[in-house]
Amino acid sequence: DGGITQSPKYLFRKEGQNVTLSCEQNLNHDAMYWYRQDPGQGLRLIYYSQIVNDFQKGDIAEGYSVSREKKESFPLTVTSAQKNPTAFYLCASKGQGNQPQHFGDGTRLSIL
Amino acid sequence: GESVGLHLPTLSVQEGDNSIINCAYSNSASDYFIWYKQESGKGPQFIIDIRSNMDKRQGQRVTVLLNKTVKHLSLQIAATQPGDSAVYFCASQGFQKLVFGTGTRLLVSP
């Protein structure tokens, strides 16, 4: 089936540790996105990439980093600089033009 | 900056009723709007979209209405079922990204 796969589903981070969240899509979409969702709130954009080897900061990029070396993959690293990393992280991808973004089922990150 | 807001954080309905979820957006240049449904612990699921050259679009049991004059969007769900219980988000297309509202939780009681 075509879709977006996020892993792991649950992740725990120790103080001072960087962690990487995986996002893979087989929809042949050029654009990919990372969002953060806090309880009872909407989605806030962390980073997005319109094409391979290019990405832009979203509204809350501080403490996060990304790479886009392959079209199908857009991993997100939550660095130790992100002081409040506990959240639900969602990855999405989109085809060209006015098309809806398609979402994975998220990774829930918690602090140990 | 751009914003999208939903009118009610929670909407409670009886099974079989019609539900209406409202949304307001700020960017008059937005030309594309989407409604998503999010169940607990899952990612948002696409429901229906509408482009700014339309004022109504219908899907299976769902209808989206767009009023560009007052920058208002609504999602109507006919004959609401328990499986419709979820958080519903509207989103408007901004420059290279979607702007999401905060969501309305729809509670359906039997």
Side-chain angles (χ1 to χ4, degrees):
Chain A
D1 284 348
I4 299 174
T5 302
Q6 289 188 242
S7 61
K9 191 168 179 65
Y10 299 96
L11 187 58
F12 297 91
R13 195 191 89 168
K14 295 179 181 177
E15 291 288 337
Q17 187 181 46
N18 294 351
V19 292
T20 298
L21 285 61
S22 171
C23 178
E24 302 279 330
Q25 55 101 358
N26 60 5
L27 299 168
N28 200 33
H29 287 167
D30 285 315
M32 296 187 74
Y33 306 81
W34 273 106
Y35 293 90
R36 169 181 172 137
Q37 186 175 33
D38 292 284
Q41 297 191 27
L43 282 65
R44 292 187 290 167
L45 184 64
I46 304 173
Y47 268 98
Y48 63 103
S49 168
Q50 302 276 64
I51 198 167
V52 174
N53 292 323
D54 188 45
F55 49 82
Q56 288 80 40
K57 292 182 179 180
D59 300 317
I60 55 165
E62 186 175 350
Y64 301 97
S65 66
V66 293
S67 63
R68 186 84 188 277
E69 297 176 1
K70 298 187 296 182
K71 186 175 185 178
E72 57 271 22
S73 178
F74 191 40
L76 173 74
T77 296
V78 184
T79 75
S80 57
Q82 172 49 247
K83 297 306 178 189
N84 184 22
T86 298
F88 190 47
Y89 290 87
L90 288 158
C91 178
S93 71
K94 189 182 81 69
Q96 294 196 2
N98 277 342
Q99 298 290 331
Q101 291 182 19
H102 296 268
F103 285 84
D105 274 339
T107 292
R108 190 167 297 280
L109 176 62
S110 302
I111 295 182
L112 283 177
Chain B
E2 299 177 53
S3 67
V4 175
L6 281 158
H7 294 185
L8 285 175
T10 304
L11 176 65
S12 296
V13 301
Q14 295 280 335
E15 182 178 356
D17 286 352
N18 295 335
S19 303
I20 300 176
I21 301 172
N22 295 303
C23 182
Y25 62 94
S26 66
N27 185 0
S28 56
S30 293
D31 61 356
Y32 180 59
F33 304 87
I34 308 170
W35 280 99
Y36 287 95
K37 172 186 179 184
Q38 186 177 26
E39 295 174 286
S40 181
K42 294 189 175 181
Q45 176 187 3
F46 168 76
I47 301 173
I48 192 168
D49 57 2
I50 188 168
R51 289 169 174 72
S52 59
N53 61 353
M54 304 171 70
D55 52 19
K56 180 178 180 179
R57 191 168 187 214
Q58 288 184 290
Q60 188 175 12
R61 283 201 306 116
V62 294
T63 300
V64 55
L65 298 178
L66 175 63
N67 185 329
K68 294 180 287 295
T69 303
V70 295
K71 293 186 281 188
H72 182 269
L73 193 68
S74 69
L75 176 71
Q76 300 179 1
I77 304 173
T80 312
Q81 302 168 0
D84 295 326
S85 294
V87 178
Y88 290 82
F89 292 95
C90 65
S92 68
Q93 182 66 50
F95 177 67
Q96 294 189 337
K97 62 182 183 179
L98 287 178
V99 179
F100 284 85
T102 53
T104 289
R105 180 174 298 278
L106 178 64
L107 300 172
V108 183
S109 52

